[in-house]
Amino acid sequence: MLMTGAVTAGAVLLGSPAEAAAGSAKTGPGVIPLPDGFRPEGITIGGGPYAYLGSLGDGSIYRADLRTGEGRIISTGPGTPSVGLKLDGRGRLFVAGRGEGARVVDARTGAILASYRLTTATPTFANDVFLTPRTAWFTDSFQPALYALPLGRGGALPDADDVVRITLSGDWSQVPGEVVNANGITRTSDGKALLVVQSGVGGLHRVDPRTGVTKLVDLGDAAPLTNGDGLLLIGRTLYVVQNRQNAIDVFTLAADGTSGVFQKRVTDPDFDVPTTVAEYNGTLYLPNARFTTTPTPDTTYAIVAVKR
């Protein structure tokens, strides 16, 4: 999830959340307003019609009803950014906290269940997160590494010192400094490897989760995934959000993730630097981060919905 200074939503917003939802049903892709000044970045959706989003401003977590467009803050932030986030089946939100590591939030009460310092290396930028049944995986955009939080029996959270660092190697070539490298993350269809997009150079890497050895995914003649951000894999269909291109590139991947074929590019006039994507009931939902707009307390933001 790429981020730099500015953030805001250029979508044409309808009057109220209810009007937005009703209007979208008639006219095409929906636009769900978020609180002014919220500065969204990550989005996650569970089994019900509710999206959870984190704020780059103060780190608050917002829950939006995808049916009505209404929502509320469910967890007041710690004053530092919330970037990528994922909801597990136990109602817990795993949140990447940029320079602050990671935390786990109870989606029902908003309480912080645990916090983790992922690394002592500097600079660091915990950017996105992906959940497997036994592990929460975090990317670091400023370090050539992934961080694993191993989950215990029944999903028990690990202790603070149980964080595992996996150094990226193989085809991975880290761009030094505060340049966005590792960003969106997901898993291959066969469940044996991870996929990580390297934003600055536009490469998609297959990562061995045991060793950190990476191999560039062969995407044929497809254009580089420059500004590649959030990843979503449904079956063997991979959706790659390219934030500043205001686009989603769609690929069919081999089950082992070693290769893929470009299928189409999805754009929408309401996109204004969307960062990542979640799916519910055949619809993709993307938060407009509006990185090209200077954020203010009155800046408008929104979620844009497009059909798969």
Side-chain angles (χ1 to χ4, degrees):
M1 325 206 134
L2 199 83
M3 56 179 70
T4 63
V7 188
T8 316
V12 178
L13 300 182
L14 303 175
S16 68
E19 289 169 341
S24 67
K26 297 176 183 178
T27 61
V31 179
I32 299 174
L34 297 171
D36 289 353
F38 184 74
R39 300 179 62 193
E41 212 278 355
I43 186 170
T44 185
I45 300 172
Y50 300 97
Y52 297 84
L53 301 100
S55 167
L56 290 179
D58 67 359
S60 291
I61 306 297
Y62 183 84
R63 188 180 83 160
D65 189 321
L66 300 175
R67 300 163 300 182
T68 66
E70 298 176 351
R72 64 184 179 89
I73 298 290
I74 63 149
S75 181
T76 302
T80 53
S82 291
V83 199
L85 69 169
K86 289 293 185 295
L87 179 69
D88 74 1
R90 297 176 173 83
R92 302 178 300 188
L93 289 161
F94 290 73
V95 184
R98 192 161 178 158
E100 300 303 313
R103 68 187 191 280
V104 183
V105 175
D106 188 318
R108 301 176 185 88
T109 68
I112 296 176
L113 303 176
S115 296
Y116 298 94
R117 175 67 64 185
L118 298 177
T119 182
T120 58
T122 57
T124 181
F125 179 173
N127 196 328
D128 200 6
V129 55
F130 180 73
L131 301 178
T132 68
R134 298 298 302 274
T135 309
W137 291 94
F138 292 83
T139 58
D140 188 334
S141 291
F142 292 165
Q143 296 290 327
L146 302 179
Y147 308 111
L149 296 183
L151 304 177
R153 186 184 300 273
L157 297 174
D159 293 333
D161 58 357
D162 288 339
V163 177
V164 178
R165 175 188 169 112
I166 307 294
T167 300
L168 298 175
S169 61
D171 286 347
W172 192 270
S173 181
Q174 183 81 2
V175 180
E178 295 190 4
V179 175
V180 175
N181 285 273
N183 200 330
I185 181 171
T186 188
R187 188 166 65 166
T188 57
S189 296
D190 65 7
K192 296 181 179 179
L194 299 167
L195 296 168
V196 175
V197 65
Q198 189 176 12
S199 292
V201 299
L204 181 67
H205 289 257
R206 182 186 186 275
V207 185
D208 185 322
R210 297 166 301 173
T211 65
V213 174
T214 82
K215 184 172 180 58
L216 276 170
V217 178
D218 181 2
L219 298 178
D221 295 332
L225 300 173
T226 307
N227 295 321
D229 206 325
L231 302 180
L232 175 66
L233 186 69
I234 300 175
R236 289 172 53 190
T237 301
L238 179 68
Y239 299 86
V240 184
V241 181
Q242 295 180 82
N243 53 42
R244 292 177 186 266
Q245 279 87 331
N246 290 309
I248 311 167
D249 278 2
V250 184
F251 298 86
T252 299
L253 294 187
D256 63 2
T258 57
S259 63
V261 177
F262 176 77
Q263 298 297 334
K264 63 181 179 179
R265 168 166 281 199
V266 178
T267 61
D268 189 272
D270 286 321
F271 284 169
D272 193 349
V273 195
T275 42
T276 190
V277 58
E279 186 267 352
Y280 180 76
N281 200 26
T283 298
L284 303 175
Y285 293 89
L286 300 91
N288 274 335
R290 303 191 68 191
F291 290 147
T292 57
T293 301
T294 301
T296 74
D298 298 322
T299 301
T300 56
Y301 295 93
I303 305 168
V304 178
V306 296
K307 288 298 182 181
R308 283 178 55 188

